[in-house]
Amino acid sequence: MSAPLTVGVTGASGFLGGALCDALAARGDAVRRFVRGRAPEPGEIAWEPAGGGLEPAALEGLDAIVHLSGASLAARRWTPAWKRELMASRVRSTATLAHAIAACRRPPRVLLSGSAVGWYGDRGDEPLDESSAPGRGFLAGMAHDWEAAAAPAAAAGVRVVHPRTGLVLARQGGVLAALERPFALGLGGPLAGGRAWWSWIALGDLLRAIGFALRDERLRGPFNAVSPAPVRQGEFARALGAALHRPAFAPAPAFALRILLGRERADEMLLASQRVRPAVLLAAGFRFAEPDLEPFLVRTYA
C-alpha cells in the first residue's frame, strides 16, 4: 500500500463526501474537512466558497484536495434563480479553491475537482469517451465552466483531475434511495420508452477510482467515473425491479415527467442519453469491482 496522504475534502457532509471521508480514513489517510458558516474545529478548514474566502495558508500540509461541494440538482425546480445557484455553487467554489491553491507557498500535489457526464449533453446512441466533443444544454455548459474554473491550480503546476461522474448507486443515498419507494409501490418502469442510455457507477467503485486518481500521476484532466457497461433506462428499471422483486412495467411518458419536474430538468436529468465509457481509467489499469448492473443490484438488495 502506498504512503498515507493528508486529504482536504469539500462537500464532506454530503452523501458522496461523507462516504469518501470514511473510505480515506479506513485506508489510513488523514482527512481534513472544509466547513463554512461556523468556526472550524481542530483539523477542519474554514472557507466561504461563493465569496472567495479561503486563506492559502490553511491549505499548507495537504497532499491532495477533493472538491465535491455543490447544490443539489434534484432539490427543486430549475427556476432562473436556482440555476444561478447551481452554477455558482460549483464554478465559484472551484475558482475560490483554485486561486487559493495557486497562492500557496507549498500547494497540494493534486486537486481532484468534481464534474459530471452531463458535460456530454444528450447524445443518443453515440459512444462517448474522454476524447468526445462537449455537448449542449445547461448541464453541459455548467460542467464545462466547472472544469475550467480549476485552471489557476493547473497553471501553478498542480496536477488537476476531473471525475466526470455518472449515476452513483448505493442503498444509502443517491439515485437508488430515490427510486426504491416508487418501485416498492409498483410504480417503477421505463421513462419515455426507456431507450436513453444511463451511465452509472457503484459507490464503492467511485470511491476506489477517486483514491486511484489521487495517487496515479498519469491521470490529468477529465476521466469518466462510470462503469464500463452503461445500460438503457428500460434495462435499468427491469434490473432494479427484479432485484426488489417488484414489477417494473409502469411507463412514465416524457410529457408527464416534463409537467412534474419542468421540461429542462426532466430532459437533462432523466431523459438525456449518455453512453459513456471510462477509457482513461481502463487504460490506466483500474479494475472495477462492480462492472455490471444486474449482479450489482442483486447483491445490493440481497
Side-chain angles (χ1 to χ4, degrees), residues 43-58:
E44 295 180 335
I45 297 171
W47 76 321
E48 291 300 331
L54 177 60
E55 290 296 327

Side-chain angles (χ1 to χ4, degrees), residues 18-82:
L20 177 65
C21 290
D22 291 344
L24 291 171
R27 63 163 290 133
D29 295 327
V31 177
R32 297 189 63 193
R33 292 169 169 82
F34 284 67
V35 298
R36 60 179 178 172
R38 64 173 175 82
E41 297 179 3
E44 295 180 335
I45 297 171
W47 76 321
E48 291 300 331
L54 177 60
E55 290 296 327
L59 308 181
E60 295 286 343
L62 295 179
D63 299 306
I65 297 176
V66 180
H67 176 41
L68 300 174
S69 64
S72 171
L73 295 172
R76 61 183 73 174
R77 294 179 76 89
W78 287 4
T79 63
W82 185 242

Side-chain angles (χ1 to χ4, degrees), residues 187-213:
L187 300 176
L191 306 180
R195 295 287 297 169
W197 288 95
W198 277 13
S199 293
W200 63 279
I201 188 168
L203 175 61
D205 275 337
L206 176 56
L207 299 176
R208 291 175 52 250
I210 290 173
F212 183 88

Side-chain angles (χ1 to χ4, degrees), residues 103-274:
C104 279
R105 188 164 55 90
R106 291 190 301 271
R109 296 195 300 272
V110 56
L111 167 63
L112 186 145
S113 185
S115 186
V117 296
W119 191 90
Y120 299 104
D122 185 1
R123 304 291 277 272
D125 290 341
E126 179 185 354
L128 302 166
D129 64 23
E130 293 85 355
S131 68
S132 300
R136 297 179 179 178
F138 172 69
L139 292 183
M142 182 171 69
H144 176 275
D145 292 352
W146 192 6
E147 293 183 15
V158 175
R159 183 170 64 90
V160 176
V161 287
H162 299 286
R164 291 177 179 164
T165 307
L167 298 172
V168 182
L169 304 187
R171 285 200 70 174
Q172 61 265 46
V175 176
L176 290 184
L179 291 177
E180 278 184 20
R181 181 166 177 77
F183 271 82
L185 295 173
L187 300 176
L191 306 180
R195 295 287 297 169
W197 288 95
W198 277 13
S199 293
W200 63 279
I201 188 168
L203 175 61
D205 275 337
L206 176 56
L207 299 176
R208 291 175 52 250
I210 290 173
F212 183 88
L214 291 179
R215 288 171 167 81
D216 194 316
E217 297 287 337
R218 296 172 296 172
L219 269 64
R220 291 178 180 268
F223 70 92
N224 292 327
V226 295
S227 156
V231 297
R232 294 193 187 274
Q233 192 281 323
E235 175 61 18
F236 187 102
R238 189 203 63 77
L240 180 56
L244 291 170
H245 307 289
R246 301 298 297 163
F249 50 77
F255 78 87
L257 294 170
R258 288 167 178 153
I259 291 172
L260 179 64
L261 301 175
R263 174 178 287 273
E264 188 176 30
R265 183 160 64 129
D267 285 350
E268 297 206 25
M269 287 190 64
L270 294 180
L271 305 179
S273 183
Q274 292 147 348

